Amino acid sequence: MSAYSPPSPNQLGTGWTTTSLGGLKMPLYLAFIWHMHQPYYKDPISGKYLLPWLRLHAVKDYLHMAEILSQYPQIKVTINLVPSLLSQLLDYLKGEAVDPAMELGFREEWPEAEKEYILTHFFSINHERFIARHPRYQLLLELRPYVRQAPNLFSSAYFRDLAVWFNLAWTDPNKLESDPFLRALVEKGGNFSLEDFGKLMEKHREIMAGIIPLYRELEAKGQVELATSPFYHPILPLLINTENAHRASPWLTLPSLAFSHPEDAEEQIRRAIEFHCTLFGHEPVGLWPPEGAICPELIPILARRGLSWLATDEAILARTLNLNLDRDSEGHLKSPEILYQPYKIQIDGKSLTALFRDRFLSDRIGFVYQYMDGYEAARDLVNRLLAIKDRLPKDRPYLVTIILDGENCWEHYEHNGDVFLHNLYRMLSEEPEIECVRVKDFLERFPPQETLTDIATGSWINGNLETWIGEEAQNQAWEALAQVREDLVNWQKNYPLADLETLERAWECIYRAEGSDWFWWYYSRNVSEQEQIFDQAFRGHLSGVYTSLGLPIPEWLSYPILRAAIVVERAPSGFISPRLTASPQAPSDWAKAGYVKGSIGGAMRPSSQLLNGLYYGYDPGTLYLRVETSEPIGFIPLSVYFVSPSADKVNWQFRHLDERVETANGFAWALEISPHEPKAVLFKAEGQEVWHPVREIHNLACSEKALEIAIPLNYLGLEIGDTLGLILVGEKGGVLERLPPSGVITFTLREKF
């Protein structure tokens, strides 16, 4: 690995100014990279779109982000547009895309299965921010449990209104307030007609039609740099060789059928550059590798294709330099000059520039500021940037890089992020100490002064590739991809005169199946009620290879790819009344407790797994839990959800998440743990996804990687003889982890053992 050498005073970039005292004076440069991405939802056989998220994010976020930016000409940013997103957007504009939220909205009647689909999916938006603000939509949500019990007792008006409201709520709230038709539709509230829905879809197409022209305009004005990603958003190091996953995680069990096709990685990049050039009139100079995943072999490929910069995560820089990027208690880097500069990477005679994102600041936008007042959140970020400037040496220009998804977090913010973004852009426009820049502009003025001769392999999630490979289901998916690709290559050898159009269709299906999202949703820690649809989409792309060649689809592709099983190590074997010490190792007090962990496809547990284990036990009056983690508990929000068959009211989703969790009885209680204070807050389910805080629990102990808590059974309305179920949930960096990975730990509070 390359060693980091501190900058010398004479290594000054151009553009510095001097004060009258002879000192150096320059603003802190700030590069926002907003990453816009959607997987390829179009089924190659039916031609239908399996999910509506591209259209819905287009009408809520993609135009919205550009329109806000256009009001602040001093704010310059880089926007990364994945070609698979843009190509699907063009399908919608040509009238060639039909998704379920469109198709079902045009129906007069719905069979029972479609009614259940509507009830399950058409509330999939932040309830507090987007449903509660519309009384009629909120009423539809409150009626959902009753409709589920007797769907045929409710008229078609309920389902028509729900179809309209789902699509309406996913529309930029500024449009709902300013557009006469949309405002009238909101005011109407209900009893919508087919004509109303049809006009709403026309309005969606009108909004989508403005996206690409506005991005072109902002780029032409010099306010935006448009970067790209490989066409279908694959994890490039794994396309190059799945063995690359072992570099960061040597314990992983990898697929039995290896996948090693650097030519596919290069083709995904070539297609992206060609598509970008066709759409925007020039080749991009920058690339965001999907999920920030890079490896040394990637650098020459990108350089050969004429790209000059890429970006990834600070964890990759830390591993490359073999050091820790330590932060103080406020989150400020102790050696900020290491991260806040570009680096030249030179490998095999090829080179390009790399930027490394500040994960802490990026995650504050992605996951923290949504809980704060928009003005205060913007002020916090600006103050942190000013603190960074004060801590940096005055020897060169420095660049802070903030990178995150440009669409996913805003539904959790007030008014779709408007309050935060307007305040942030205004404050930055007025702050002389900070200058927002496009990446290419900064690099033209200030080329990198440090060179790396190697780069670590990994991604922006924990610095490794475990999110996309290593578990049983993920490995099955990689093996399926490898097998189908091999079948295609063999067919091509046997039919050398096959027409190019047939081969193009077949290879296109392979490239689509290489996208990262399919493997993301096979990961046991990523839970969604739509994961079966993603599995269907992945297998659909592989099946499309055979239909393109006129071959029968192998029977094995008709079977879903299974998740890894839950491993329950043991059930409770006797009463326990442990002292709460949170010692690093569970003492003998917990010997008779139950214990559970998640299976990782037979591999050793990776060090980045957040939840290492859960002990659970009880005595006649108290439930005891012990949580063990692989990372400091203070950085992992923890919750425990309780299932009680005798509960009078239940909720079906985790708090703050619109994800229906499949349990037989729903959640009666939720316990949210704050180890810093230390305390836990117990919430009671009131139904309709409403949670009411009922009491605080202070009887807990917490150490760096262990937490123990005692919960009186009567707090949960339980006594000996009752049955209890529970799920432990942890979250870090946007990754949700459950223990167990699926299902519920269920046990009876026995009187005797």
Side-chain angles (χ1 to χ4, degrees):
M1 293 295 180
S2 304
Y4 172 76
S5 58
S8 60
N10 61 348
Q11 292 176 313
L12 301 180
T14 59
W16 285 91
T17 60
T18 58
T19 67
S20 58
L21 298 176
L24 297 170
K25 184 178 182 181
M26 202 165 221
L28 176 68
Y29 292 98
L30 173 62
F32 284 108
I33 301 178
W34 299 113
H35 171 56
M36 310 295 195
H37 160 62
Q38 291 295 318
Y40 198 80
Y41 296 116
K42 187 176 182 179
D43 182 84
I45 299 175
S46 69
K48 292 183 178 180
Y49 278 63
L50 297 178
L51 289 168
W53 301 121
L54 185 135
R55 175 175 60 86
L56 298 181
H57 278 295
V59 298
K60 188 176 81 68
D61 300 304
Y62 297 139
L63 184 62
H64 173 245
M65 287 291 284
E67 287 181 333
I68 292 179
L69 187 64
S70 68
Q71 300 174 48
Y72 301 90
Q74 288 181 270
I75 303 300
K76 298 182 178 181
V77 306
T78 299
I79 296 178
N80 184 78
L81 296 169
V82 179
S84 61
L85 182 159
L86 293 168
S87 66
Q88 293 177 95
L89 177 61
L90 294 175
D91 267 4
Y92 276 100
L93 295 178
K94 291 183 290 187
E96 297 176 359
V98 177
D99 61 57
M102 294 172 63
E103 185 176 24
L104 293 172
F106 280 115
R107 296 280 178 84
E108 292 277 8
E109 297 290 340
W110 302 266
E112 190 167 334
E114 289 183 350
K115 287 181 178 179
E116 178 57 32
Y117 182 96
I118 292 172
L119 291 170
T120 298
H121 296 287
F122 281 19
F123 295 102
S124 296
I125 194 168
N126 185 282
H127 291 186
E128 179 183 356
R129 299 292 192 187
F130 284 85
I131 295 182
R133 68 194 300 260
H134 299 295
R136 178 66 177 179
Y137 199 9
Q138 177 66 29
L139 176 61
L140 297 176
L141 176 62
E142 293 171 0
L143 289 173
R144 177 167 64 169
Y146 307 102
V147 181
R148 270 207 162 102
Q149 292 174 7
N152 294 325
L153 295 182
F154 286 77
S155 72
S156 60
Y158 176 91
F159 296 94
R160 165 84 55 239
D161 286 357
L162 181 49
V164 171
W165 268 115
F166 177 58
N167 286 277
L168 197 58
W170 269 97
T171 308
D172 178 2
N174 295 297
K175 305 294 184 189
L176 300 185
E177 295 158 9
S178 63
D179 182 271
F181 167 73
L182 294 174
R183 186 171 64 248
L185 209 58
V186 171
E187 291 171 354
K188 183 177 181 180
N191 296 314
F192 297 120
S193 65
L194 269 177
E195 183 182 6
D196 290 333
F197 187 81
K199 289 182 177 179
L200 176 58
M201 292 301 98
E202 290 176 9
K203 190 62 64 173
H204 276 196
R205 282 189 289 273
E206 178 185 316
I207 294 171
M208 289 189 286
I211 295 172
I212 293 174
L214 183 53
Y215 281 116
R216 286 174 177 154
E217 177 185 335
L218 292 174
E219 184 180 47
K221 290 180 177 179
Q223 191 176 358
V224 165
E225 175 184 356
L226 297 178
T228 193
S229 287
F231 203 103
Y232 290 109
H233 204 264
I235 302 300
L236 293 171
L238 296 179
L239 289 195
I240 291 170
N241 195 326
T242 47
E243 289 288 335
N244 287 337
H246 271 161
R247 292 174 180 170
S249 309
W251 51 76
L252 280 185
T253 297
L254 296 184
S256 59
L257 190 59
F259 192 96
S260 179
H261 296 289
E263 67 274 23
D264 285 14
E266 187 151 7
E267 179 63 12
Q268 294 262 11
I269 295 164
R270 185 197 69 79
R271 288 175 178 234
I273 294 172
E274 182 180 272
F275 181 85
H276 189 101
C277 189
T278 300
L279 198 59
F280 297 109
H282 64 86
E283 292 188 353
V285 298
L287 177 134
W288 169 251
E291 309 291 350
I294 64 172
C295 62
E297 295 86 350
L298 180 60
I299 304 306
I301 295 174
L302 297 177
R304 283 198 302 270
R305 287 293 166 185
L307 293 158
S308 62
W309 67 263
L310 63 76
T312 183
D313 188 69
E314 65 178 50
I316 304 302
L317 179 63
R319 286 184 48 226
T320 300
L321 298 176
N322 195 27
L323 52 75
N324 293 321
L325 294 173
D326 295 323
R327 297 178 183 269
D328 63 19
S329 60
E330 298 297 319
H332 298 297
L333 285 168
K334 295 180 179 180
S335 299
E337 69 279 2
I338 299 175
L339 179 62
Y340 300 136
Q341 62 170 306
Y343 288 79
K344 178 181 179 180
I345 306 178
Q346 187 158 353
I347 295 175
D348 293 341
K350 300 291 184 180
S351 65
L352 78 167
T353 300
L355 306 179
F356 299 91
R357 76 168 188 145
D358 184 310
R359 180 189 294 180
F360 183 85
L361 294 183
S362 302
D363 284 354
R364 286 188 77 78
I365 297 176
F367 308 109
V368 176
Y369 288 148
Q370 60 190 260
Y371 300 109
M372 297 173 60
D373 171 78
Y375 173 87
E376 295 300 329
R379 175 51 60 195
D380 178 83
L381 181 55
V382 173
N383 286 343
R384 287 179 177 278
L385 291 167
L386 292 173
I388 288 170
K389 184 177 186 300
D390 289 342
R391 291 167 180 241
L392 282 166
K394 305 298 186 281
D395 59 346
R396 65 170 69 178
Y398 286 97
L399 176 69
V400 175
T401 304
I402 294 177
I403 309 174
L404 68 153
D405 291 343
E407 70 273 83
N408 289 330
C409 65
W410 306 122
E411 71 169 286
H412 305 290
Y413 276 72
E414 181 182 359
H415 210 272
N416 201 35
D418 282 325
V419 180
F420 170 73
L421 286 169
H422 279 290
N423 276 292
L424 177 63
Y425 287 163
R426 178 184 57 78
M427 291 177 188
L428 290 173
S429 297
E430 297 170 354
E431 178 51 67
E433 298 294 311
I434 303 170
E435 182 178 334
C436 293
V437 293
R438 303 189 303 177
V439 172
K440 70 175 184 178
D441 294 338
F442 179 88
L443 295 178
E444 286 173 2
R445 290 183 65 193
F446 310 115
Q449 299 177 23
E450 303 292 337
T451 298
L452 305 173
T453 56
D454 196 7
I455 193 72
T457 297
S459 75
W460 69 349
I461 299 181
N462 299 317
N464 58 47
L465 302 173
E466 296 168 25
T467 302
W468 305 275
I469 196 169
E471 290 190 357
E472 181 182 351
Q474 295 168 311
N475 290 347
Q476 286 182 29
W478 280 106
E479 290 164 2
L481 174 61
Q483 181 62 62
V484 175
R485 191 187 188 283
E486 183 179 345
D487 288 349
L488 173 56
V489 170
N490 290 335
W491 187 92
Q492 190 170 345
K493 290 177 181 177
N494 292 331
Y495 296 91
L497 300 180
D499 66 278
L500 294 180
E501 185 178 345
T502 296
L503 288 173
E504 172 63 23
R505 286 198 305 269
W507 278 106
E508 197 75 26
C509 290
I510 290 291
Y511 299 139
R512 291 169 183 170
E514 290 174 342
S516 67
D517 296 87
W518 324 122
F519 304 95
W520 166 279
W521 287 113
Y522 286 129
Y523 196 30
S524 64
R525 299 176 206 172
N526 296 328
V527 179
S528 169
E529 60 194 12
Q530 296 177 342
E531 60 194 21
Q532 296 303 319
I533 300 176
F534 280 94
D535 172 58
Q536 176 188 344
F538 174 71
R539 290 182 292 109
H541 292 313
L542 294 181
S543 299
V545 173
Y546 297 97
T547 58
S548 297
L549 302 179
L551 299 174
I553 299 172
E555 183 181 0
W556 59 268
L557 272 176
S558 65
Y559 301 117
I561 293 175
L562 302 177
R563 282 187 172 275
I566 302 170
V567 178
V568 178
E569 297 296 328
R570 65 171 186 255
S573 59
F575 288 137
I576 65 169
S577 300
R579 295 162 295 171
L580 303 186
T581 62
S583 56
Q585 300 295 325
S588 58
D589 292 7
W590 295 87
K592 294 184 178 181
Y595 178 74
V596 66
K597 69 176 181 179
S599 168
I600 310 295
M604 294 172 60
R605 283 180 291 161
S607 62
S608 64
Q609 180 176 340
L610 297 180
L611 305 177
N612 282 349
L614 171 66
Y615 293 82
Y616 60 98
Y618 56 93
D619 60 25
T622 306
L623 174 70
Y624 300 95
L625 302 176
R626 173 184 166 90
V627 179
E628 295 179 345
T629 65
S630 63
E631 299 190 24
I633 280 180
F635 297 100
I636 306 174
L638 294 172
S639 302
V640 183
Y641 291 84
F642 297 98
V643 177
S644 174
S646 61
D648 56 343
K649 295 180 180 179
V650 298
N651 292 332
W652 298 93
Q653 298 170 359
F654 296 143
R655 271 174 45 84
H656 309 305
L657 293 172
D658 189 24
E659 297 285 354
R660 181 178 171 85
V661 181
E662 294 303 326
T663 70
N665 301 100
F667 298 126
W669 307 88
L671 185 72
E672 296 193 354
I673 302 169
S674 303
H676 286 303
E677 299 195 35
K679 71 174 183 180
V681 179
L682 184 65
F683 293 82
K684 187 178 188 300
E686 298 294 343
Q688 317 303 326
E689 306 312 322
V690 174
W691 294 93
H692 178 65
V694 291
R695 65 177 74 241
E696 293 184 355
I697 298 174
H698 295 272
N699 191 11
L700 58 83
C702 184
S703 60
E704 183 184 19
K705 296 182 181 180
L707 181 142
E708 297 172 353
I709 187 169
I711 309 158
L713 291 177
N714 61 7
Y715 284 14
L716 303 174
L718 297 172
E719 58 185 21
I720 294 298
D722 288 340
T723 297
L724 175 64
L726 59 87
I727 299 173
L728 172 66
V729 178
E731 184 271 327
K732 185 178 181 185
V735 178
L736 185 72
E737 182 172 326
R738 293 176 39 165
L739 200 56
S742 61
V744 179
I745 302 169
T746 303
F747 57 101
T748 299
L749 300 171
R750 299 169 58 181
E751 183 177 2
K752 296 181 180 180
F753 287 87

